[in-house]
Structure formats: structure tokens, C-alpha cells
Amino acid sequence: MSETPSTSFSMIRLTSSEGQVPSRHSNVTHPIVAKRISFYKSGDPQFGGVRVVVNPRSFKTFDALLDNLSRKVPLPFGVRNISTPRGRHSITKLEELEDGESYVCSHNKKVLPVDLDKARRRPRPWLSSRSISTHVKLRSATATMPTTAPGMFRAPRRLVVFRNGDPKTRRVVLLSRRITQSFEAFLQYLTQVMQYPVAKLYATDGRKVPSLQAVILSSGAVVAAGKEPFKPGNYDIQKYLLPVKLPGISHRMHRKGKAKIEKRKSGNWKVSIITSDFPNAGTSSQVYIVLYGHCRSSAPIYLSGRDGTRFQDGHEDKFTITVGDIGIPFKIRVGHTNSGCSPSWHCKGIELQNVNSGQKFYIPVHRWLAQEQEDGEICREFPILSKGQPVLPVTTYEVNITTGELWNAGTIANVYLSIYGEKGDTGSRKLFRSKNSLKFLRGQIDTFFLEAVNLGDLCKIVIGHDGLGQGNGWFLEDVVVRDPTTNHEYAFFCHRWLDEGEDDGKIVREIYARDKTIFSVRKKLERKRKETWAAESWKFMKGNTLQFYNKLTGGFVRLHPDGSVDAAGEQTDRYSLFDVIFNKGNICVFQSHEMRHLSLTLDNGFAGGGACSELRVLHQPNRCALLESALLPGHTLTVDRQGKVADESSAGYAELSKEFSVFVKGVFLNSAVVILATSLCQALCLQPNGTCTGAGSQSEQSYWRVHRISSGICMFESVKTARMYLRIKDGCCNGMGTGDTDCHFKIKKNLENASISLESLKSPGLFVGLQPDGQAKPVIYTKNESVCFYPRVIQFGRENPMGMSATPSQGENKTRPPEPKTRCPSPLSSEKESRHSHSTETLLSEENWKVLVLTGDTGTQANVTLWVYGDEGITGPISLTKESQEQLFLPGKMDEFQVVLRGIGEIYKIRIGHDGTGGQPEWSLKRVTMENVKSQKTLNFDANVCLSRNQADGDIVCELPVMKEGKAVFPLVRYHVDVYTGQLKQAKTESEVSLCLYGERGDSGLRLLHRSNMPLRFQRGQIDAFQIEAVSLGNLQKVLLHCEARDKSHYWYCEKVIVKEPGSASESIFTCERWIPFMSQGLMHSEIELYCQGED
């Protein structure tokens, strides 16, 4: 057996020149120049840095250096960027590194500053509760430890695995990627290693280890069990985790035997535990201690006896333990596993004696460690006494944990917290006793009190849960810790899921502290406003008709013919309607729907009707909006209780209001596609088992098609799963309706927050409601948010034709979800540009068109598809087929098809292509002609392209614009698309990746990224350049990425996508930073939408 122990950390030690090994190739005429460089962690002054010798032998490429640093610098996604200390310059080549300099490592291009002077100081040993050594100078006058080598922590690469109940049976395994593909695969590997069935893993203190992530974040040891429960034992991992040579030990030589004796003596302690002498003070639990010294801390050490009579009433139990050289102790943590028939324990005191020096320490305890006694804690910390006084005070920290307001944000899992400061950590504590009767409910603030030896200034927390129980996922908003000794509050902002099926799948997060200052609170409020704007901005798109409701007045904003404005109108008042005729970001012009020559204006702070005025929409976190003058910032539309426009200084603040709820007209017209949002990022969603949840994502899974029965009464059909309708029946609310009267809902508007509620027409008084976990159920109407839905239009509908039933025809094909209707500005008709799309909304009849397709000199046997885009909608995909398919698209032949276009407005482009199947997948397309059967209007599209994977640019789809007076109404643009594959291991993929661009003038369609500038596509750390030709989309808004992987080995990690338009200096950036496919809501998603993060 090797004498080199396994470690869970890396040690970087400076050695003298005397200890250097001479080169074996001293006769080489051109010696290899070595650079000694220090690397630090972005934004983390507690990380002591790592020194690396860089030469052509050790690192042949820059990527090899990044891989090496990823194993030494603890970053979430590994080291992907190296920059100068202030982050001004990025290092991309080995040659750019300078000898003796310091650099900062980060996992993205954003680099947080680091105080290098502070980072270079020797870090304190208590910065980790694991068994890690740090090089600190002892304050004792007798200490002689050198201070030259900083310690460094990283995640454990080796793991000690004990057999449950038998600490003597143990194995050391290496956590390689081969054995950690999944938690199940890891258990199977341990079954082979331990030579018995392994079904469960526990931490050495008895907590269950439920996932692979929990294994990686463990203290370096786990207990492997079958189906039996955890069995306490003395699972001592010190001998496996101690370094070969303790830090600070001089280089003097010892004989092997003496060295071992000296090392054993320096780490031997006698421990006496005194249990109080009153009834029921003893415990049946497994007791453990953790010692903290100036050099290091120990792992949990279990104190067990062979006779099973330890820790009885009035008894003193003595033990001898080996912990290595921890230096002078300054605190002790004592706890138990809360197991057995009588786990409660009252400890009187603890005595420590160093076997080598004979020095003694006594710690008076006199406390309960019991969940039903005192504060319910089963783990406590006590400082060591020096001359009768504690070296550090004991502090009771107040911990306020806020659970997010998303549906299903709460958890029933056991939550654990560890607080880190400049003087140590609290260890992992179970948050057991909250001021609330039920912990971690949605939108709730839970307050806990955590007692520990004072930590000084706090720097970070580690918080997570054990993943046990149904609905264990948790959306953590933030944690605020108050130190009562200084009355200072430390804020730890999270605003993320701790859920294996959401976000990045992590259930444990490390969060760094921010002062709870006015600035940080403002930043949090600003983030909420941005999220609200993202959810509500669709209302202010050009062409919408709006109403503004004021809660104080109970009326709607009106613009009268004389130009006066008030907020006392009724919902049916014709002067309360406003058309959005201009939109740029959050700046809009609201034109009177009734009087086209007047718009809502703010003149010197007072509202009126002018020819044109730009207003800035400022959305508040409560979904209300402020209307501010774009020319005079700070001047907002303000009204008094009577609805009259007022100046803010003219009355008391309580008598004025400037917040308005915004309603869009025409939301629930027939055939509209809507999202019923339940929060800023969630929506009512049909699940595969037919139930409905309000915790779904706002994606295609949550699209509902509206079937209007009569005024104010609608049905909602799932777009993703056709012929499944929302219903209330037999006391249940689900999506298993068939379109009968159980599916009819009356729409009730909630004016205060611009939401709607859905009341069953068949069961009056019952509404669609949500439980805290997001599951839909019938409820009686109350004004709480459980019955409120915020509609968002994906595709506007139209009024029913006279005599037409709202119930869909059984023969209508609904298996394919519709593409969102995109209103596109078109130069085809100046009259249409100035006309409001809803104000003159009329019935659009079906139009029959004849499509003529002329094939060039190469025909095809593939399936050909057509899309037609108009300024009011899209029709497609239209399959161009006939009964005799083999006679279609022959060389030099023209094929004729009849298609029906429904209300798409003026056509401005088409997209045509094939699927690349059949014996002849190549196709030469010469021309497409469209002729309106009724009006005889003809549109000619000259193509002259070869659609083939093997020729030209490799595309099998092309877009063709409408020509007017010899010019294209919108030009063809060849977009340059750069796709960045991440630096993570196995980030590459061999799967096919497709992309769709979305802009203000529609989309490009889903295009296969086939022809890259690189010989192999989507390799790790690679940038692949593609070109996509499409009719100009205007300002880009989002992209859709699709990756259909066969198995996990073909998953792809995409960092970002950058799109450039030729002739433009700017580029649109779409950040991804996640794996595709990914798991969400229990379903695998092979595509993801990325929204524009800005332009550079």
C-alpha cells in the first residue's frame, strides 16, 4: 500500500535553491526558459493564489495551462480566462505571460478586482471547515513556522469511502469523469470497488448524500450503504487526508521511525467529555467533535465506545484522538447525530490535553444539545479559555432567508447553511427552528438564530438542501445575516433555483457577501423592474390599442376632444382608448383612438392632447406603469382622487397617484395564441399527464389557443397538445377537456393589477386557482394572486365570421403549433403604415393563391416546403405535394399548386426549401410565381439558386423578397453567425445544431449550421463561423438554438452566439452558458431561446 496519502487539496510550497533538482540536460546549448507566475481567483481575496512554473515542457499549449489551473483554482466552470490584475488585458498566449508577475483567473470575460496584497497574506485556517492546511504564523512566542507558502483549497479529487458500520473497511477512489457520468453510474462503480451492493451514500455525520454534486462538495469522505439505515462509527479520515509533510515543518532530516513518532505525538490529544448528572442528561446518539487550531482544523471525529455505555448521566468519558498538528486550539465544535431512542444530551464540560506538550484546556459547556430543548440546536461551538477568558466571544447570528415568489418556489427538503468569516466558519448547520410554523414557503421570510464563535467580518455562505421529498426544489431569493455585536447586516443575493430539474441543476450554492446598503437594495429593485419590463413590454408594441386604469380614481385615462385629460373614464368610454403609433425601447407615442390628430402629452408636468409627444414607460415591480415625459425627465402623469391631472406639490402624497394598470384590447379574440402568465417568468402549462401547473416556463409548452364562444366567454386549447382543453370538472382543474361546456370560462378582469381570472361557466363561483406548489385546482374567488393570470399575446386572433361556430372543426389539423404572429413594418403601402391594426380590425377572409414553381436543370425527389410572410402574419409550413410525387420538380418543368393564405396582410417575402431526403436531394430552383386567384395580382420571385448540402453555401432553404418597382422591399442580408463552444470538458458535440434568428420583421426559419469555417464543428473552446442568408430582419431580438443529442455523450455546452450584419459596426450578443439538451420541469428540452444581451 502506498505511503502517499490521498488529499483533498493542493499544496504549493516554495523551496530553496539548494533543494532544486539539477537538469538532466545541462549540456543543451539553448536552455528552456522557465517563468514563475502567480495566479489568483477573480473577486476572491481569501484565495491565497497558486504559483506555477511555465515552460514549453510543462505546458505545450495555452489550453493545457487553462486545464491545469482549472484543477487548482476553484471556479464554477473552470478557468476560461486569464487577465492582468485589473482586468484590462486578456492573456491568450503563453508568450504573453511575464516572469514573476501575477494574473487573475476567471470563468468568463468579466473579471472582478482582487486586492493582491490581501490575497498574498497567509490565509487563516478557519476559511474552510474541511481538513485543509494553511500557513499562518502562530501568535505564540514559541511558534517557529515559516510564512512563505500560502495554502490553497480546491474541490476533492480523491474520496475515502467507508463501509456502513465498519470503519475499518475503506477504499480511496479518484473522482474521474469516467465514473461520475451520473449518480447511478457512480453507485455501480462503488459496488464493484466495495464488493457489496451500494444503494445509498451518507456523510460521516449521518446526513444523506443524494446526488453526485453533493459527493463532489463533500468533506472528502462518504459512507457507502445498501438498503439499511446509517450506522454511526468512528469514520476517521485524517490519516487519508493529511499531507505528506505538514506545512511549516523545517527541512531537517529525521529517521523514518522518529519522524513517525514525532508526527503521532504532535497530533495526539486526550479528550474528556463530562455529561451532566441530572436525569435524562445522557444520550444514545453518536457524539462528534471538531477542533480548530491556528494551523488547521480537524474533520468531525466520532467518539464511540465498545460497551455502548458512553455519555450516561453524570459520567466522564475519556478518549485519545489523533488529528495531526492543528497548532494552538482556539475553538471546539461538539454535536451529535440525533439518533437512537433518547438522543437529547446535556453536556457539562470538555477537557483537552495535548499528549506531547501536556498543555490542558477546559471548556465549560452546561448546555442542551437537543431539538426539543433551548433553541433546538444539536451542534454548538465553544471558544477555548485563555487565562480564564474566552479567546473569542460567542455570537448568536440572526439569519433571515427569503424564499422567492415564483410558484413552487418553496421546499420541504432539509436546508443546511454554513457561514464563513475572517475567523472561521460555523460548519454545516441544519436550519431547524424558524419563527414561522412552516419553513421555506413561497414568498416567505424565515428567521433563524445560529450560535457560533464570532467569525469577524463575514465573506460568504454555502447554502443547500438534501434534495429529499417531493417538490424539494427551492427558489432562494436572498439571505441576510445580522451580526448583533456590530449590528451590521450582510446580504447574500441569490435569485436562483436550487433544483436538480431547473437552472443549472445545482442544489448547493456558494454566495459571497454584499453590504445591505441602499445601493444594493436599489440594485435589487432595478433587477425586478427589468424583469417586469421584459414581461410587460409586449403591450407597448406598435399597433396595440391600450387603456390606462388608475386604482386611486377607479377610472380610465381619457383624452377629450378639447385636449384635456383626466382619469375618470369608464371602461367602455371611447375616449379612453389609445393606439401605440411609435415604439422605440420604452419610449412610445399614444395616439387617441377616436381622434387621430391628438396624442397624450405632458406639457410642463401637466397632461394634455398635442400633435405628437413621446412618453417614457417606467414599469414598477407591481406591474403598474408610470408615464414620464421623454423630453422632461421627472415629469410624470399624476392625478388626484377625483381623476384630475395634478402637480405632485398640489396635494398630499396620499391624495395623488401616478401608477396605471395597462390593458391591451383584443387579447381574447378567436384563434389567438396566448400565455397565461402566473409570475414574471412562469405560466400556466399543460403537463404530459394532463394536469396543469402554474410553475411552467413561458415557452411553447405554455401556449394556449383561444376559442371564443361569445363575448367574455372562451375556451383554451393547448397548442402543443392539440384537442386538450383547460377545464374544471368533478372538483379538479386540468387540461383533459374535450371542448364541451366543462371547458367554457368567463373572463373576469382584475383592474388593480391588469390580470384576469377564469370562472367556470358550468360551475359558477369556481375559478382556476393555484396551490403553493403551482398545481391548478378549482377555488372560490378571492383577491389574492392564486387566481390571477397575466395574459400575454403570442399571436393575435380575429373576430368570428357571421354564423361561424367558435368550436374548432374536427377535421382541422392542429398537430403543429403556429409560429408567433409578427407585426412587421412594411413599405408596401404608406396607407397601411399609418393605419392602426386593431382600430380598423375587420374580418380577413381566406385568400386562394396559385403557386408556380419552375425547376432549373437539376430536379429533386425531396419534400419541398413553402412559408409566406405578410405584414400581419405568417402561413407555413405549406407542403408542396401532389398524389404523383415522383412527377414533381423535374428538370426544366413548372409545377402548379393551390394554397390558402389566411389573413397575413401584404406579402413581403417567402421562404422555400426541401428536407434533403430522397434519391436526388439536390435541387436547382429557378423561379417562384404567386398569383391571387381573385384579384389576379402576381408576385414574381427570381431565385436562380442551387439548394444542396454539397454546393454553394450548403443551404437547402432560401428566402426571396417581394420586388416593387424593380427593387426588393427588404434587402437580402447574409448574417455572420459566430457560435462559441464552451471550455468545459466534453463541451463539444457531434450532434446537428440548428439556429433560427428572430427580428422585428419576422424570423429566418430554423437553419442547420452545416458549413463552418473549421474542419470539425463545435469542438471544445472553438469558435465556429457560419453564414445565414435571409430577408432583412431589422433589429435582432432573439435566437433559438436546437441540438438533438442521441445520448449524454453528445450533449453540447454553448457559451454564446454573436451575430453580425455586414456593413454594420455593431454585433448582437446572445449569451447561453449552459448544456443543450437540458432538463426542466421533468422534461428534456432540445432547444433554448436566447435573448439579446446588448450590442458591442
Side-chain angles (χ1 to χ4, degrees), residues 585-597:
N586 65 338
I587 296 179
C588 304
V589 173
F590 303 110
Q591 183 186 76
S592 171
H593 180 69
E594 188 69 19
M595 300 160 292
R596 299 306 177 85
H597 63 287

Side-chain angles (χ1 to χ4, degrees), residues 350-519:
I350 302 174
E351 185 177 295
L352 300 175
Q353 181 181 1
N354 189 308
V355 175
N356 188 35
S357 65
Q359 191 175 13
K360 293 184 179 181
F361 304 93
Y362 179 74
I363 303 99
V365 178
H366 302 290
R367 297 289 299 275
W368 278 104
L369 285 80
Q371 290 190 347
E372 66 276 3
Q373 300 286 348
E374 296 186 22
D375 56 3
E377 289 292 333
I378 60 173
C379 173
R380 297 192 185 280
E381 288 188 354
F382 302 94
I384 300 296
L385 299 182
S386 176
K387 297 180 181 180
Q389 297 296 323
V391 295
L392 291 171
V394 175
T395 302
T396 302
Y397 293 95
E398 180 182 314
V399 181
N400 297 290
I401 298 180
T402 304
T403 300
E405 296 183 353
L406 300 184
W407 292 101
N408 204 26
T411 185
I412 62 173
N414 297 312
V415 175
Y416 295 85
L417 172 70
S418 182
I419 304 175
Y420 292 76
E422 62 178 353
K423 297 178 182 177
D425 65 89
T426 63
S428 182
R429 305 285 189 93
K430 180 180 177 181
L431 300 179
F432 173 68
R433 186 171 292 180
S434 168
K435 283 187 175 182
N436 301 309
S437 56
L438 295 175
K439 305 188 295 288
F440 311 119
L441 298 181
R442 170 179 174 261
Q444 180 172 286
I445 300 177
D446 291 282
T447 301
F448 302 88
F449 293 95
L450 197 152
E451 184 183 273
V453 173
N454 189 271
L455 302 173
D457 288 335
L458 305 186
C459 59
K460 72 174 181 179
I461 63 171
V462 175
I463 189 168
H465 60 83
D466 56 11
L468 300 179
Q470 281 190 331
N472 55 61
W474 185 32
F475 189 87
L476 174 62
E477 188 66 38
D478 58 49
V479 178
V480 177
V481 180
R482 187 178 73 86
D483 185 344
T485 61
T486 61
N487 207 30
H488 188 75
E489 290 186 339
Y490 300 87
F492 302 87
F493 295 128
C494 182
H495 194 65
R496 296 186 72 177
W497 283 101
L498 281 75
D499 190 341
E500 292 178 338
E502 294 285 353
D503 203 340
D504 58 3
K506 293 182 179 179
I507 60 175
V508 178
R509 296 201 181 277
E510 183 181 71
I511 311 171
Y512 287 86
R514 300 179 185 175
D515 288 340
K516 194 181 179 185
T517 59
I518 295 177
F519 173 77

